[in-house]
Amino acid sequence: MHIQDIFKAHATTFSFEFFPPKTPEASEKLFKTIAQLEALRPTFVDVTYGAGGGTRDLTNELVLRIRSETKLDAIPHLTCVCHSEPEIDAVIEQWASKGVSNILALSGDVPREKGDWDRKQDAFRYAADLVRHIVKFNARGRHPDKRGFGIGVAGFPEGHPATPNRLLELDHLKAKVDAGADYIVTQLFFDNHDFYDFRERCDLAGIKVPILAGLMPIASEKGMRRMAELAAGSRFPAALLRSIQRCGGDEEAVKRVGIHWATEQCRALLDHKVRGLHFYTLNQSDATRQIYLNLGIARG
Ligand code: FAD
């Protein structure tokens, strides 16, 4: 369903993000997770693109498998790093022909194995350029929906490391929306004040599209360190760190703390009329299911 129709039908969206597994075993495991999470009736699910490099075709495979084996509406991500224009066109042509309704358009980061890849080689340098290209594709009328693809983009409540100038960063976000993005999904954050402030700053900048809050419950201390690496710039509030320290290395206790913290974040976000909750599931179902139960919104 086109994202504009999704927003018309749902005052609050609930979405889950998966990454494409690299082995058949991991894929079967993911489909068990997806079956468990489908019972929660998410509004849609996302599939990441080439995160960590080398998994680009797998995104396509996973999106098509979700579409054929479940009732879930799958939104693929697309990054422009290390892609030529014909390559991008081949991907979006294929998704259009399969009736994929929406794309989350991203710049992406240079994968580690590409070393010092010069981004001048990319057909599209910034996500805004990719949004403009998808809008052009939409105008050609080659998508079964006459509006073409719905388009999402990323937002960073705590700022993006490449743009320390926070005013300029908001200009860049606005450029993506002005180019034709229908909605924003945020990077994960642990302090809701960062999200509320971001939402207000967007409003002041004239960014009026729905903003979905990205959440990732901490599952382990090791996982938290990895998160800090991947979502560079993320702030881990002292109160959260203290709660984790009190667990004294007990991994089950850390998991419970992570779920409790994320539940409280979600509860407050819902009270503050968030337009959507977007869960980075890491292909696991436990934490998301537990949060749903804690919130009293479990529908399965
Ligand atoms: P952009 O909007 O292009 O911004 C990147 C940086 O460039 C920002 O600092 C911005 O301020 C700056 N900038 C923008 N325009 C200009 C300009 N005209 N001049 C100068 N500077 C400019 N990565 C993946 O590889 N695969 C995924 O599936 C994926 N999914 C993600 C989903 C979400 C919700 C989020 C938040 C991130 C995701 N990422 C993914 C990571 C993302 O690709 C990186 O964080 C990347 O560094 C930023 O992408 P972007 O689309 O926001 O880039």
Side-chain angles (χ1 to χ4, degrees):
M1 194 192 274
H2 193 287
I3 197 72
Q4 286 171 7
D5 298 334
I6 289 178
F7 287 127
K8 267 184 218 143
H10 300 270
T12 314
T13 61
F14 294 87
S15 46
F16 304 152
E17 183 169 309
F18 305 115
F19 61 86
K22 289 187 186 151
T23 64
E25 296 75 35
S27 189
E28 289 324 301
K29 202 163 155 234
L30 173 60
F31 268 80
K32 286 198 182 110
T33 299
I34 290 178
Q36 285 160 342
L37 290 177
E38 190 176 9
L40 301 178
R41 293 199 274 128
T43 321
F44 60 88
V45 298
D46 272 31
V47 176
T48 65
Y49 190 81
T55 61
R56 297 185 149 177
D57 293 339
L58 299 177
T59 301
N60 198 28
E61 281 170 28
L62 180 55
V63 167
L64 298 184
R65 189 168 166 200
I66 290 174
R67 285 169 62 83
S68 70
E69 292 184 21
T70 75
K71 293 198 169 64
L72 296 169
D73 202 343
I75 302 185
H77 295 188
L78 179 60
T79 61
C80 35
V81 64
C82 304
H83 261 326
S84 65
E85 188 169 330
E87 284 167 353
I88 291 278
D89 282 341
V91 175
I92 56 182
E93 285 276 1
Q94 184 175 18
W95 287 342
S97 73
K98 303 278 182 198
V100 171
S101 304
N102 307 287
I103 296 175
L104 192 79
L106 299 142
S107 165
D109 298 316
V110 177
R112 222 172 276 154
E113 70 266 20
K114 292 278 181 184
D116 54 0
W117 177 266
D118 181 358
R119 300 235 22 199
K120 288 201 190 83
Q121 298 172 79
D122 297 336
F124 309 105
R125 171 62 186 87
Y126 297 109
D129 305 322
L130 182 58
V131 172
R132 270 187 284 277
H133 190 69
I134 298 171
V135 166
K136 256 196 233 159
F137 176 87
N138 287 348
R140 291 209 291 271
R142 296 170 66 88
H143 192 284
D145 185 318
K146 65 176 174 16
R147 293 165 293 184
F149 290 105
I151 307 172
V153 290
F156 295 80
E158 298 177 74
H160 185 273
T163 311
N165 179 334
R166 304 296 300 274
L167 297 179
L168 193 57
E169 198 216 352
L170 218 59
D171 292 344
H172 294 151
L173 180 59
K174 179 140 190 327
K176 295 197 272 194
V177 174
D178 289 348
D182 297 289
Y183 68 108
I184 295 167
V185 184
T186 77
Q187 179 61 288
L188 59 93
F189 58 89
F190 295 101
D191 184 339
N192 285 358
H193 290 109
D194 290 317
F195 177 81
Y196 302 141
D197 187 60
F198 173 70
R199 205 167 53 172
E200 277 188 56
R201 285 186 288 116
C202 285
D203 189 49
L204 289 169
I207 297 170
K208 305 292 180 185
V209 295
I211 303 176
L212 315 185
L215 295 140
M216 190 193 281
I218 288 169
S220 66
E221 288 191 58
K222 203 168 135 216
M224 182 171 78
R225 299 226 155 255
R226 197 167 143 65
M227 239 185 239
E229 181 77 30
L230 289 176
S234 282
R235 197 165 60 79
F236 295 83
L240 172 60
L241 294 177
R242 264 197 306 273
S243 299
I244 287 171
Q245 247 175 26
R246 278 194 289 267
C247 298
D250 176 342
E251 285 293 305
E252 278 309 307
V254 172
K255 209 180 271 181
R256 280 197 299 275
V257 164
I259 290 171
H260 179 258
W261 188 275
T263 302
E264 279 302 296
Q265 276 194 275
C266 291
R267 184 197 52 70
L269 286 162
L270 290 170
D271 286 349
H272 282 80
K273 306 228 174 316
V274 70
R275 199 60 178 82
L277 295 177
H278 183 80
F279 294 89
Y280 295 102
T281 68
L282 292 179
N283 291 3
Q284 308 285 326
S285 65
D286 287 3
T288 311
R289 275 164 49 206
Q290 198 56 54
I291 293 166
Y292 260 61
L293 286 171
N294 292 346
L295 290 171
I297 55 168
R299 305 166 206 190

